[in-house]
Coordinates of all heavy atoms in Angstrom, one line a residue:
M1 N -55.4 -7.3 -62.8 CA -55.7 -7.5 -61.4 C -54.3 -7.5 -60.6 O -54.3 -6.9 -59.6 CB -56.4 -8.8 -61.2 CG -56.7 -9.1 -59.8 SD -58.4 -8.7 -59.4 CE -58.4 -9.1 -57.8
Y2 N -53.3 -8.1 -61.1 CA -52.1 -8.2 -60.4 C -51.4 -6.8 -60.3 O -50.8 -6.5 -59.3 CB -51.1 -9.2 -61.1 CG -49.7 -9.3 -60.5 CD1 -49.6 -9.9 -59.3 CD2 -48.7 -8.7 -61.1 CE1 -48.3 -10.0 -58.7 CE2 -47.4 -8.7 -60.5 CZ -47.3 -9.4 -59.3 OH -46.0 -9.4 -58.8
L3 N -51.5 -6.0 -61.4 CA -50.9 -4.7 -61.3 C -51.6 -3.8 -60.3 O -51.0 -3.0 -59.6 CB -51.0 -4.0 -62.7 CG -50.1 -4.6 -63.8 CD1 -50.4 -4.0 -65.1 CD2 -48.7 -4.5 -63.4
K4 N -53.0 -3.9 -60.2 CA -53.7 -3.1 -59.2 C -53.2 -3.4 -57.8 O -53.0 -2.6 -57.0 CB -55.2 -3.3 -59.3 CG -55.8 -2.5 -60.4 CD -57.3 -2.6 -60.3 CE -58.0 -1.8 -61.3 NZ -59.4 -1.8 -61.2
R5 N -53.1 -4.7 -57.5 CA -52.7 -5.1 -56.2 C -51.3 -4.6 -55.8 O -51.1 -4.2 -54.7 CB -52.8 -6.7 -56.0 CG -52.6 -7.1 -54.7 CD -52.8 -8.6 -54.5 NE -52.0 -9.3 -55.5 CZ -52.1 -10.6 -55.7 NH1 -53.1 -11.3 -55.2 NH2 -51.3 -11.2 -56.6
K6 N -50.4 -4.7 -56.8 CA -49.1 -4.2 -56.5 C -49.1 -2.7 -56.3 O -48.4 -2.1 -55.5 CB -48.2 -4.6 -57.7 CG -46.7 -4.3 -57.5 CD -45.9 -4.8 -58.7 CE -44.4 -4.5 -58.4 NZ -43.6 -5.0 -59.5
Y7 N -49.9 -2.0 -57.1 CA -50.0 -0.6 -57.0 C -50.5 -0.2 -55.6 O -49.9 0.7 -54.9 CB -50.9 0.0 -58.1 CG -51.2 1.4 -57.9 CD1 -50.3 2.4 -58.4 CD2 -52.4 1.9 -57.4 CE1 -50.5 3.7 -58.3 CE2 -52.6 3.3 -57.3 CZ -51.7 4.2 -57.7 OH -51.9 5.5 -57.7
Y8 N -51.6 -0.8 -55.1 CA -52.1 -0.4 -53.8 C -51.2 -0.9 -52.7 O -51.2 -0.3 -51.7 CB -53.5 -1.0 -53.7 CG -54.5 -0.3 -54.5 CD1 -55.1 -0.8 -55.6 CD2 -54.8 1.1 -54.3 CE1 -56.1 -0.2 -56.4 CE2 -55.6 1.8 -55.0 CZ -56.3 1.1 -56.1 OH -57.2 1.9 -56.9
K9 N -50.5 -2.0 -52.9 CA -49.6 -2.5 -51.9 C -48.5 -1.5 -51.6 O -48.0 -1.3 -50.5 CB -49.0 -3.9 -52.3 CG -48.1 -4.5 -51.4 CD -48.8 -5.2 -50.3 CE -47.9 -6.0 -49.5 NZ -48.6 -6.4 -48.2
K10 N -48.1 -0.8 -52.6 CA -47.1 0.2 -52.5 C -47.4 1.3 -51.5 O -46.6 1.9 -50.9 CB -46.8 0.8 -53.9 CG -45.7 1.8 -54.0 CD -45.5 2.2 -55.4 CE -44.9 3.5 -55.6 NZ -44.7 3.9 -56.9
Y11 N -48.8 1.7 -51.4 CA -49.2 2.8 -50.6 C -49.8 2.3 -49.3 O -50.3 3.2 -48.5 CB -50.2 3.6 -51.4 CG -49.5 4.3 -52.6 CD1 -49.7 3.8 -53.9 CD2 -48.7 5.4 -52.4 CE1 -49.1 4.4 -55.0 CE2 -48.0 6.0 -53.4 CZ -48.3 5.5 -54.7 OH -47.6 6.1 -55.8
E12 N -49.8 1.0 -49.0 CA -50.3 0.6 -47.7 C -49.3 0.9 -46.6 O -48.1 1.1 -46.8 CB -50.6 -0.9 -47.7 CG -51.7 -1.3 -48.6 CD -51.9 -2.8 -48.6 OE1 -51.2 -3.5 -47.9 OE2 -52.8 -3.2 -49.3
L13 N -49.8 1.0 -45.4 CA -49.0 1.3 -44.2 C -48.1 0.1 -44.0 O -48.6 -1.1 -44.1 CB -49.7 1.6 -43.0 CG -50.5 2.9 -43.0 CD1 -51.4 3.0 -41.8 CD2 -49.6 4.1 -43.1
P14 N -46.9 0.3 -43.6 CA -46.0 -0.9 -43.3 C -46.5 -1.6 -42.0 O -47.1 -1.1 -41.1 CB -44.6 -0.3 -43.1 CG -44.9 1.1 -42.7 CD -46.1 1.5 -43.4
E15 N -46.0 -2.8 -41.9 CA -46.4 -3.6 -40.7 C -45.6 -3.0 -39.5 O -44.5 -2.5 -39.7 CB -45.9 -5.1 -40.9 CG -46.6 -5.8 -42.0 CD -48.0 -6.1 -41.6 OE1 -48.3 -6.4 -40.5 OE2 -48.9 -6.1 -42.5
P16 N -46.2 -3.1 -38.4 CA -45.6 -2.5 -37.2 C -44.3 -3.3 -36.8 O -44.4 -4.6 -36.9 CB -46.5 -2.5 -36.1 CG -47.6 -3.5 -36.5 CD -47.6 -3.5 -38.0
A17 N -43.3 -2.6 -36.5 CA -42.0 -3.3 -36.2 C -42.1 -4.1 -34.8 O -43.0 -3.8 -34.1 CB -40.9 -2.3 -36.1
A18 N -41.2 -5.0 -34.7 CA -41.2 -5.7 -33.4 C -41.0 -4.8 -32.2 O -40.6 -3.6 -32.4 CB -40.1 -6.8 -33.5
A19 N -41.2 -5.2 -31.1 CA -41.2 -4.3 -29.9 C -39.8 -3.6 -29.8 O -38.8 -4.3 -29.4 CB -41.5 -5.1 -28.7
S20 N -39.8 -2.4 -30.2 CA -38.6 -1.6 -30.1 C -38.6 -0.8 -28.8 O -39.7 -0.5 -28.3 CB -38.5 -0.7 -31.3 OG -39.5 0.2 -31.3
P21 N -37.4 -0.5 -28.3 CA -37.5 0.2 -27.0 C -38.1 1.6 -27.2 O -37.8 2.3 -28.2 CB -36.0 0.3 -26.6 CG -35.2 0.0 -27.9 CD -36.1 -0.8 -28.7
A22 N -38.9 2.0 -26.3 CA -39.6 3.3 -26.4 C -38.6 4.4 -26.2 O -38.7 5.4 -26.9 CB -40.7 3.4 -25.4
V23 N -37.7 4.3 -25.3 CA -36.7 5.3 -25.0 C -35.3 4.8 -25.1 O -35.0 3.8 -24.5 CB -36.9 6.0 -23.6 CG1 -35.9 7.0 -23.3 CG2 -38.3 6.5 -23.5
T24 N -34.5 5.4 -25.9 CA -33.1 5.0 -26.0 C -32.3 5.9 -25.1 O -32.4 7.1 -25.1 CB -32.5 5.1 -27.5 OG1 -32.7 6.4 -28.0 CG2 -33.3 4.2 -28.4
V25 N -31.4 5.3 -24.3 CA -30.6 6.0 -23.3 C -29.3 6.4 -23.9 O -28.6 5.4 -24.4 CB -30.5 5.3 -22.0 CG1 -29.7 6.0 -21.0 CG2 -31.8 4.9 -21.5
H26 N -28.8 7.6 -23.9 CA -27.6 8.0 -24.4 C -26.5 7.4 -23.5 O -26.7 7.3 -22.3 CB -27.5 9.5 -24.4 CG -26.3 10.1 -25.2 ND1 -25.1 10.2 -24.7 CD2 -26.3 10.4 -26.5 CE1 -24.3 10.7 -25.7 NE2 -25.1 10.8 -26.8
P27 N -25.4 6.9 -24.1 CA -24.4 6.2 -23.2 C -23.8 7.1 -22.2 O -23.5 6.6 -21.0 CB -23.3 5.8 -24.3 CG -23.9 5.9 -25.6 CD -25.1 6.8 -25.5
V28 N -23.7 8.4 -22.4 CA -23.1 9.3 -21.4 C -24.1 9.4 -20.2 O -23.7 9.4 -19.1 CB -22.8 10.6 -22.0 CG1 -22.4 11.7 -21.0 CG2 -21.7 10.5 -23.1
M29 N -25.4 9.6 -20.5 CA -26.4 9.7 -19.5 C -26.4 8.4 -18.7 O -26.7 8.4 -17.5 CB -27.7 10.0 -20.1 CG -27.8 11.3 -20.7 SD -27.3 12.7 -19.6 CE -28.7 12.6 -18.5
Q30 N -26.3 7.2 -19.3 CA -26.3 6.0 -18.6 C -25.1 5.9 -17.7 O -25.3 5.4 -16.5 CB -26.3 4.8 -19.6 CG -26.4 3.5 -19.0 CD -26.3 2.3 -20.0 OE1 -26.1 2.5 -21.2 NE2 -26.6 1.2 -19.6
K31 N -24.0 6.4 -18.1 CA -22.7 6.3 -17.3 C -22.9 7.2 -16.1 O -22.6 6.9 -15.0 CB -21.5 6.7 -18.1 CG -20.2 6.5 -17.3 CD -19.0 6.5 -18.2 CE -17.8 6.1 -17.4 NZ -16.7 5.7 -18.2
I32 N -23.5 8.4 -16.3 CA -23.7 9.4 -15.2 C -24.7 8.8 -14.2 O -24.5 9.0 -13.0 CB -24.2 10.7 -15.8 CG1 -23.0 11.4 -16.5 CG2 -24.7 11.6 -14.7 CD1 -23.5 12.7 -17.2
S33 N -25.7 8.1 -14.7 CA -26.7 7.5 -13.7 C -26.1 6.4 -12.9 O -26.6 6.2 -11.7 CB -27.9 7.1 -14.5 OG -27.6 5.9 -15.3
Q34 N -25.0 5.8 -13.3 CA -24.4 4.7 -12.6 C -23.3 5.2 -11.6 O -22.8 4.5 -10.9 CB -23.8 3.7 -13.6 CG -24.8 3.0 -14.4 CD -24.1 2.1 -15.4 OE1 -23.0 2.1 -15.6 NE2 -25.0 1.3 -16.1
M35 N -23.0 6.5 -11.7 CA -21.9 7.1 -10.8 C -22.4 7.1 -9.3 O -23.6 7.4 -9.1 CB -21.6 8.5 -11.3 CG -20.9 8.5 -12.7 SD -20.6 10.2 -13.2 CE -19.0 10.4 -12.5
K36 N -21.5 7.0 -8.5 CA -21.8 7.1 -7.0 C -21.5 8.6 -6.7 O -21.0 9.4 -7.5 CB -20.9 6.3 -6.3 CG -21.0 4.8 -6.5 CD -20.0 3.9 -5.7 CE -20.2 2.5 -6.1 NZ -19.2 1.7 -5.5
L37 N -21.9 9.0 -5.4 CA -21.8 10.3 -4.9 C -20.3 10.8 -5.0 O -20.0 11.9 -5.4 CB -22.4 10.5 -3.6 CG -22.4 11.9 -3.0 CD1 -23.2 12.9 -3.9 CD2 -22.8 11.9 -1.6
D38 N -19.5 9.9 -4.6 CA -18.0 10.2 -4.6 C -17.5 10.5 -6.0 O -16.6 11.3 -6.1 CB -17.2 9.1 -4.0 CG -17.5 8.8 -2.6 OD1 -18.1 9.7 -1.9 OD2 -17.2 7.7 -2.1
D39 N -18.0 9.9 -7.0 CA -17.6 10.1 -8.3 C -18.2 11.5 -8.9 O -17.6 12.0 -9.9 CB -18.1 9.0 -9.3 CG -17.5 7.6 -8.9 OD1 -16.4 7.6 -8.3 OD2 -18.1 6.6 -9.2
I40 N -19.1 12.0 -8.3 CA -19.7 13.2 -8.8 C -19.1 14.4 -8.1 O -19.0 15.5 -8.7 CB -21.3 13.2 -8.5 CG1 -21.9 12.1 -9.3 CG2 -21.9 14.6 -8.9 CD1 -23.3 11.9 -9.1
I41 N -18.5 14.2 -6.9 CA -18.0 15.4 -6.2 C -16.7 15.9 -6.9 O -16.5 17.1 -7.0 CB -17.7 14.9 -4.7 CG1 -19.0 14.7 -4.0 CG2 -16.8 16.0 -4.0 CD1 -18.8 14.2 -2.6
I42 N -15.9 15.0 -7.4 CA -14.6 15.4 -8.0 C -14.8 16.4 -9.2 O -14.2 17.4 -9.3 CB -13.7 14.2 -8.3 CG1 -13.3 13.5 -7.1 CG2 -12.5 14.7 -9.1 CD1 -12.5 12.3 -7.2
P43 N -15.7 16.0 -10.2 CA -15.9 16.9 -11.3 C -16.5 18.3 -10.8 O -16.2 19.3 -11.4 CB -16.9 16.2 -12.2 CG -16.8 14.8 -11.9 CD -16.4 14.7 -10.5
I44 N -17.3 18.3 -9.8 CA -17.8 19.5 -9.3 C -16.7 20.4 -8.7 O -16.7 21.6 -9.0 CB -18.9 19.2 -8.2 CG1 -20.2 18.6 -8.9 CG2 -19.3 20.5 -7.5 CD1 -21.2 18.2 -7.9
L45 N -15.8 19.7 -7.9 CA -14.7 20.5 -7.5 C -13.8 21.0 -8.5 O -13.3 22.2 -8.4 CB -13.8 19.5 -6.5 CG -14.4 19.3 -5.1 CD1 -13.5 18.2 -4.4 CD2 -14.4 20.5 -4.3
I46 N -13.6 20.2 -9.6 CA -12.8 20.7 -10.7 C -13.4 21.9 -11.4 O -12.8 22.9 -11.7 CB -12.5 19.6 -11.7 CG1 -11.6 18.5 -11.1 CG2 -11.9 20.1 -13.0 CD1 -11.5 17.3 -11.9
F47 N -14.7 21.8 -11.5 CA -15.4 23.0 -12.2 C -15.3 24.3 -11.3 O -15.1 25.3 -11.8 CB -16.9 22.6 -12.4 CG -17.7 23.7 -12.9 CD1 -17.6 24.2 -14.3 CD2 -18.6 24.4 -12.1 CE1 -18.3 25.2 -14.8 CE2 -19.3 25.5 -12.6 CZ -19.2 25.8 -14.0
L48 N -15.5 24.1 -10.0 CA -15.5 25.2 -9.1 C -14.1 25.8 -9.1 O -13.9 27.0 -9.0 CB -16.0 24.8 -7.7 CG -17.4 24.5 -7.5 CD1 -17.7 24.0 -6.1 CD2 -18.2 25.8 -7.9
M49 N -13.1 25.0 -9.1 CA -11.7 25.5 -9.1 C -11.3 26.2 -10.4 O -10.5 27.1 -10.4 CB -10.7 24.3 -8.8 CG -10.9 23.8 -7.4 SD -9.7 22.4 -7.1 CE -8.2 23.4 -6.8
L50 N -11.9 25.7 -11.5 CA -11.6 26.4 -12.8 C -12.3 27.8 -12.9 O -11.8 28.6 -13.6 CB -12.1 25.5 -13.9 CG -11.2 24.3 -14.3 CD1 -11.9 23.5 -15.3 CD2 -9.9 24.8 -14.8
T51 N -13.4 28.0 -12.1 CA -14.0 29.3 -12.2 C -13.5 30.3 -11.3 O -14.0 31.4 -11.2 CB -15.6 29.0 -12.0 OG1 -15.8 28.4 -10.7 CG2 -16.2 28.2 -13.1
E52 N -12.5 29.9 -10.4 CA -11.9 30.9 -9.5 C -11.1 31.9 -10.3 O -10.8 31.8 -11.5 CB -11.0 30.2 -8.5 CG -11.7 29.4 -7.5 CD -10.7 28.6 -6.6 OE1 -9.5 28.8 -6.8 OE2 -11.2 28.0 -5.7
E53 N -10.8 33.0 -9.6 CA -10.0 34.1 -10.3 C -8.6 33.6 -10.7 O -8.1 33.9 -11.8 CB -9.9 35.3 -9.4 CG -9.4 36.5 -10.0 CD -9.5 37.8 -9.1 OE1 -10.5 37.8 -8.4 OE2 -8.6 38.6 -9.3
N54 N -7.9 33.0 -9.8 CA -6.6 32.4 -10.0 C -6.6 30.9 -9.8 O -6.3 30.5 -8.6 CB -5.6 33.1 -9.1 CG -5.3 34.6 -9.4 OD1 -5.4 34.9 -10.6 ND2 -5.2 35.4 -8.5
P55 N -7.0 30.1 -10.8 CA -7.1 28.7 -10.5 C -5.7 28.0 -10.3 O -4.7 28.5 -10.8 CB -7.7 28.1 -11.8 CG -7.4 29.2 -12.8 CD -7.3 30.5 -12.1
D56 N -5.7 27.1 -9.4 CA -4.5 26.3 -9.1 C -4.5 25.1 -10.0 O -5.2 24.0 -9.8 CB -4.5 25.8 -7.7 CG -3.3 25.0 -7.3 OD1 -2.3 25.1 -8.0 OD2 -3.3 24.4 -6.2
Y57 N -3.8 25.2 -11.2 CA -3.8 24.1 -12.2 C -3.2 22.8 -11.8 O -3.6 21.8 -12.3 CB -3.1 24.6 -13.5 CG -3.9 25.8 -14.1 CD1 -3.4 27.1 -14.1 CD2 -5.1 25.6 -14.7 CE1 -4.1 28.1 -14.7 CE2 -5.8 26.6 -15.3 CZ -5.3 27.9 -15.2 OH -6.0 28.9 -15.8
I58 N -2.3 22.8 -10.8 CA -1.7 21.6 -10.4 C -2.7 20.7 -9.6 O -2.8 19.6 -9.8 CB -0.4 21.9 -9.5 CG1 0.7 22.5 -10.4 CG2 0.1 20.6 -8.9 CD1 1.9 23.0 -9.7
T59 N -3.4 21.4 -8.7 CA -4.5 20.7 -8.0 C -5.6 20.2 -8.9 O -6.1 19.1 -8.7 CB -5.1 21.7 -6.9 OG1 -4.0 22.2 -6.1 CG2 -6.0 20.9 -6.0
I60 N -5.9 21.0 -9.9 CA -6.9 20.6 -10.9 C -6.5 19.4 -11.7 O -7.2 18.4 -11.9 CB -7.3 21.8 -11.8 CG1 -8.0 22.8 -11.0 CG2 -8.2 21.3 -13.0 CD1 -8.2 24.2 -11.8
A61 N -5.2 19.4 -12.1 CA -4.7 18.2 -12.8 C -4.6 17.0 -11.9 O -4.9 15.9 -12.4 CB -3.2 18.6 -13.3
A62 N -4.3 17.2 -10.6 CA -4.3 16.0 -9.7 C -5.7 15.5 -9.5 O -5.9 14.3 -9.5 CB -3.7 16.5 -8.4
L63 N -6.7 16.3 -9.4 CA -8.1 15.9 -9.2 C -8.5 15.2 -10.5 O -9.3 14.2 -10.5 CB -9.0 17.1 -8.9 CG -8.9 17.6 -7.5 CD1 -9.8 18.8 -7.4 CD2 -9.4 16.5 -6.5
A64 N -8.2 15.7 -11.7 CA -8.6 15.1 -13.0 C -7.9 13.7 -13.1 O -8.5 12.7 -13.5 CB -8.1 16.0 -14.1
F65 N -6.6 13.6 -12.6 CA -6.0 12.3 -12.7 C -6.7 11.3 -11.7 O -6.9 10.1 -12.1 CB -4.5 12.5 -12.2 CG -3.7 11.2 -12.2 CD1 -3.3 10.6 -13.4 CD2 -3.5 10.5 -11.0 CE1 -2.6 9.4 -13.4 CE2 -2.8 9.3 -11.0 CZ -2.4 8.8 -12.2
I66 N -7.1 11.8 -10.5 CA -7.8 10.8 -9.6 C -9.1 10.4 -10.2 O -9.6 9.3 -10.1 CB -8.0 11.6 -8.3 CG1 -6.6 11.7 -7.6 CG2 -8.9 10.8 -7.4 CD1 -6.7 12.6 -6.4
F67 N -9.8 11.4 -10.9 CA -11.1 11.1 -11.4 C -11.0 10.1 -12.6 O -11.8 9.1 -12.6 CB -11.8 12.4 -11.9 CG -13.1 12.2 -12.5 CD1 -14.2 11.8 -11.7 CD2 -13.4 12.3 -13.9 CE1 -15.5 11.6 -12.2 CE2 -14.6 12.1 -14.4 CZ -15.7 11.8 -13.6
F68 N -10.1 10.2 -13.4 CA -10.0 9.3 -14.6 C -9.2 8.0 -14.3 O -9.2 7.1 -15.2 CB -9.4 10.1 -15.8 CG -10.3 11.1 -16.4 CD1 -10.0 12.5 -16.3 CD2 -11.4 10.7 -17.0 CE1 -10.8 13.4 -16.8 CE2 -12.3 11.7 -17.5 CZ -12.0 13.0 -17.4
A69 N -8.5 7.9 -13.1 CA -7.8 6.7 -12.9 C -8.7 5.6 -12.5 O -9.8 5.7 -12.1 CB -6.9 7.0 -11.8

């Protein structure tokens, strides 16, 4: 009797876990969602300046320094 119970116990479904969060938020996405409009404009400017035909790297470096400071 004990062997049968152990055998069937092995194939039973596990108990449901405690309330786990349904959606996990990636840390990068969480940081982006907390950004203000002013914080989003600088990376957009950097991207637009990098896609120009002759990018001004000094201005891009200055904008990057302002953004990460």
